[in-house]
Structures are given as structure tokens and as C-alpha cells.
Amino acid sequence: MNRTRRLLTRPWVAGVLVAGLVAVAAGLYWFQPWQLWVDETVQEALPVAATAPPGSAPTSQPAASPPAPPAAPAELATGTLISHEHRTTGTVRVLRAADGSLVLRLENLVTSSGPDVHVWLTDAPVKTGQDGWGVFDDGKHLDAGKLKGNKGNQNYALPAGTDLTAYTSVSIWCDRFDVSFGAAELAGPRS
């Protein structure tokens, strides 16, 4: 017992212990390993154009007629997610709502949680295996937002005026480690 106490009172031993604790705390903050066991499911409805508020209908329409159902969005592009760094499945759809707004939609998404994960629209080709993990930040990309949850159906509004012809893929991108969790090549007219 005295030998251990004498060893701990030496300044260099205390310095090594403090440095080790700081390194462990920094590693936990940076890697956030508990995220691998945390699931967050988000279930957002398919985006539709808003119906006219009550009282705003023209006076020429009879008051008893029911309001028209909201218009379904037009599908501009679609793709199926493949796995990269983490097992990832689901479908990607780019939609144009009746009001003209663009929405990137993830459907039936299943992936891992992680620190600083985003949804990117990119011009990079989708490659299988490790060759595809890090290509999405090499060219043009548009950050649609932070991933809302690692499971479910989610909508991401795209900026007005987004030129969809400039983008060929979607990546679930971990910005902290510059790696793709999964990606989908977009197919469709994208006009």
C-alpha cells in the first residue's frame, strides 16, 4: 500500500494519469460510441400542398361543397440506398409539391446513428464498398440538413431554385468523420 501511495505522489505519475483521463474524455466526446446503440425513429407524412383556409374560397362556389383534397407531389427522381460505412437501407425520392417547393424524402430508412450526420444531395457517383465511402465531399454537394433520425420516413426541404440536373446522388454523410453511411444514385427526369 505504501509503495502505491509513494508512486501516486510523484508528479510525473499524476501528470500521466491526468493526461490519460483527458484523452479518454476527448475520445468519448469525439467518437460518441453510445450513438451506435441509440435509435431515433421519425415518421413524417408525405408532403402535400396546403389546402385553402376556411373563408378564402371564392364566393361563386357553393358553401356546401367539400374542399378539394390536397394535391400529391410529383416524383422527380428516386433511388435505393446502399450501405457504405454502416448498414443502410431505404428509398430516396425527390418530390415537387403542388406549390412548387422541392422536398428530398427518405422512406423506410434504416441506418446507424452517429455524430454530425447529414443528408447530402451530391454530384458524386455511387460506388459500392470502401471505394464509395469518401467520394461525396470531393465535388459539388448540397446539405439538405442534419439527419432527423436513423429510422423512418423523413422530409428535407431543398432551397428554391435548386438545379436538380446538377446532382446525381444522395448520401447519408457523417461530417465529423468524412464518411458516407450509405448512398443512393438518383434516376428519373429531375427537371
Side-chain angles (χ1 to χ4, degrees):
M1 184 71 165
N2 283 336
R3 185 177 199 195
T4 303
R5 189 175 296 146
R6 274 186 274 150
L7 186 62
L8 290 175
T9 59
R10 294 186 181 185
W12 68 270
V13 172
V16 167
L17 288 175
V18 168
L21 287 173
V22 168
V24 167
L28 286 173
Y29 171 77
W30 186 254
F31 289 99
Q32 299 179 6
W34 58 88
Q35 292 278 355
L36 294 174
W37 296 281
V38 175
D39 286 330
E40 187 168 350
T41 301
V42 174
Q43 295 295 349
E44 294 182 328
L46 188 66
V48 293
T51 57
S56 66
T59 56
S60 63
Q61 289 184 349
S65 68
E75 185 174 277
L76 303 177
T78 187
T80 301
L81 289 163
I82 65 166
S83 299
H84 280 149
E85 172 69 17
H86 294 270
R87 187 178 183 287
T88 301
T89 60
T91 304
V92 174
R93 295 172 67 198
V94 179
L95 308 168
R96 183 179 311 280
D99 64 3
S101 62
L102 294 174
V103 175
L104 189 152
R105 180 165 170 83
L106 302 176
E107 293 181 338
N108 303 312
L109 173 68
V110 177
T111 191
S112 298
S113 289
D116 206 18
V117 180
H118 293 251
V119 179
W120 279 11
L121 197 58
T122 79
D123 68 350
V126 176
K127 299 177 185 178
T128 59
Q130 286 186 327
D131 291 340
W133 289 12
V135 299
F136 298 100
D137 61 346
D138 294 343
K140 184 176 184 176
H141 63 273
L142 185 149
D143 190 339
K146 194 165 177 72
L147 187 68
K148 297 174 183 178
N150 65 313
K151 293 184 176 186
N153 300 309
Q154 304 163 28
N155 302 318
Y156 297 86
L158 297 176
T162 299
D163 178 12
L164 295 177
T165 60
Y167 301 102
T168 59
S169 60
V170 171
S171 174
I172 308 300
W173 182 259
C174 180
D175 219 14
R176 169 128 347 136
F177 295 106
D178 292 329
V179 67
S180 174
F181 280 21
E185 187 171 336
L186 293 174
R190 287 193 294 260
S191 54

